[in-house]
Amino acid sequence: MKRQNKSFIFAAAISLCLCSCGQPNELPPLNDGYATEFVLPDPVALTQEERDYIDALEKEYEEATTVSGN
């Protein structure tokens, strides 16, 4: 009885090893329906008010993150 159980377990392990040794498909198949080129919108120039606002934010950030020498 024990010999029969061992041979069954051995056969099951061998069959699992043989079934699981296929080559994995790491990449999904390519589909022709997808766009291959992306068009970005044209950049818009900032106004002087927007530049001033950004400069103020950068200055505030720099003042908040600088380490004082005290």
Side-chain angles (χ1 to χ4, degrees), residues 1-10:
M1 187 69 155
K2 283 187 177 184
R3 186 174 186 170
Q4 193 176 23
N5 285 344
K6 287 182 182 179
S7 63
F8 175 75
I9 291 172
F10 181 72

Side-chain angles (χ1 to χ4, degrees):
M1 187 69 155
K2 283 187 177 184
R3 186 174 186 170
Q4 193 176 23
N5 285 344
K6 287 182 182 179
S7 63
F8 175 75
I9 291 172
F10 181 72
I14 293 295
S15 64
L16 285 174
C17 288
L18 293 176
C19 291
S20 65
C21 293
Q23 294 293 330
N25 187 6
E26 295 180 4
L27 299 175
L30 295 176
N31 293 333
D32 293 333
Y34 292 106
T36 56
E37 294 181 15
F38 297 98
V39 178
L40 296 176
D42 293 331
V44 178
L46 297 176
T47 63
Q48 188 60 40
E49 292 175 355
E50 293 170 335
R51 285 190 209 119
D52 292 339
Y53 178 71
I54 292 172
D55 289 339
L57 288 176
E58 288 176 350
K59 183 179 177 183
E60 180 183 353
Y61 174 79
E62 289 298 324
E63 289 174 357
T65 57
T66 55
V67 180
S68 62
N70 294 335

